[in-house]
């Protein structure tokens, strides 16, 4: 194994499937891949060994999630990190309105820089935790990848999903066992239809597994902040909208 310092930070060439997925947005996707492979690695937002497999394991893996989003959807991506999947969705789909929620300053700084660099005027970056937004915002779709085990993921995500909307969580192969173990929080959060979907067949191998949970509970907006479990007042997130 080479030392991290020896691992290449070169942007890997895009595989042939990239153009079919990103179409007219391919140049933007390539620019983002370049920023991840350079600044993303230098700032420790993505591991150096991820750089050679950026396309398959990260950009394409996330991009196919967009197939599940209807046109003009309001999307909130929780725990975006370096922008996965939220920024990739915004790059592929300019019709979406995408809110990226991430508590760590180092990461939101990178996200804001990428948004400005790529001119993604339909993206909002919020520095804060998912719980900070409860009772203040709701979205048609709440996405995430590698955020938390399912019970906590439901606690953080479902209060942000509007009635009839969906949680869309990128998950691993053990998702069905996770669902079985999370029956109580699913019920408590008004989870309706629960589906395990496979997207990206023929584009990436393995394809992406997505847990979709429909929300059936009525809106809690306007009822004031939802109290946190620890009894503390919710911290107001800082919200920056780019023109
Ligand atoms: C394992 S990383 C995954 C990052 C990205 N989604 C990905 O797949 O590369 C989890 C991210 O969730 C963020 N996070 C942790 N607690 C959170 C919370 N309560 N609300 C929102 N994001 C949170 C972390 O700061 C971190 O960036």
């Amino acid at each position: 194994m080479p030392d991290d310092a020896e691992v290449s930070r070169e942007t890997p060439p895009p595989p042939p499937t990239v153009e079919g997925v990103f179409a007219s947005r391919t140049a933007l996707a390539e620019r983002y891949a370049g920023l991840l492979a350079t600044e993303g690695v230098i700032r420790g937002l993505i591991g150096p060994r991820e750089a050679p497999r950026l396309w398959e394991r990260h950009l394409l893996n996330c991009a196919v999630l967009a197939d599940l989003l209807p046109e003009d959807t309001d999307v909130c991506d929780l725990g975006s990190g370096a922008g996965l999947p939220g920024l990739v969705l915004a790059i592929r789909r300019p019709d979406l309105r995408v809110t990226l929620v991430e508590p760590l300053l180092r990461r939101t700084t990178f996200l804001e820089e990428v948004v400005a660099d790529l001119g993604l005027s339909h993206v909002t970056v919020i520095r804060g935790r998912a719980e900070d937004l409860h009772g203040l915002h709701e979205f048609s779709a709440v996405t995430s990848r590698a955020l938390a085990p399912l019970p906590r993921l439901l606690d953080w995500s479902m209060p942000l999903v509007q009635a009839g909307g969906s949680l869309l969580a990128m998950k691993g192969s053990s998702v069905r066992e996770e669902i079985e173990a999370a029956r109580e929080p699913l019920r408590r959060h008004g989870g309706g239809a629960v589906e395990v979907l496979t997207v990206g067949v023929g584009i990436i191998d393995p394809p992406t597994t997505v847990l979709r949970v429909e929300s059936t509970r009525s809106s809690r907006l306007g009822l004031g902040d939802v109290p946190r479990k620890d009894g503390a007042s919710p911290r107001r997130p800082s919200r920056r909208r780019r023109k």
Side-chain angles (χ1 to χ4, degrees), residues 78-150:
L78 296 178
S80 296
L84 300 160
L87 269 183
V88 181
L89 297 174
I91 288 170
R92 187 176 175 200
R93 292 278 302 277
D95 60 295
L96 305 174
R97 287 170 303 284
V98 179
T99 299
L100 309 176
V101 178
E102 170 54 53
L104 294 187
L105 178 62
R106 202 157 48 93
R107 296 179 184 171
T108 54
T109 301
F110 177 76
L111 293 172
E112 285 174 348
E113 287 174 12
V114 177
V115 165
D117 189 282
L118 271 54
L120 301 174
S121 56
H122 56 310
V123 177
T124 300
V125 178
I126 294 182
R127 182 177 170 218
R129 295 169 301 167
E131 314 87 287
D132 300 334
L133 274 58
H134 293 180
L136 300 174
H137 299 280
E138 285 180 357
F139 305 86
S140 307
V142 174
T143 61
S144 60
R145 185 181 83 160
L147 179 57
L150 188 52

Side-chain angles (χ1 to χ4, degrees), residues 164-182:
S166 300
L167 167 153
L168 292 169
M170 296 171 66
K171 280 284 179 187
S173 52
S174 61
V175 61
R176 286 184 179 79
E177 291 93 88
E178 282 195 74
I179 294 168
E180 279 315 307

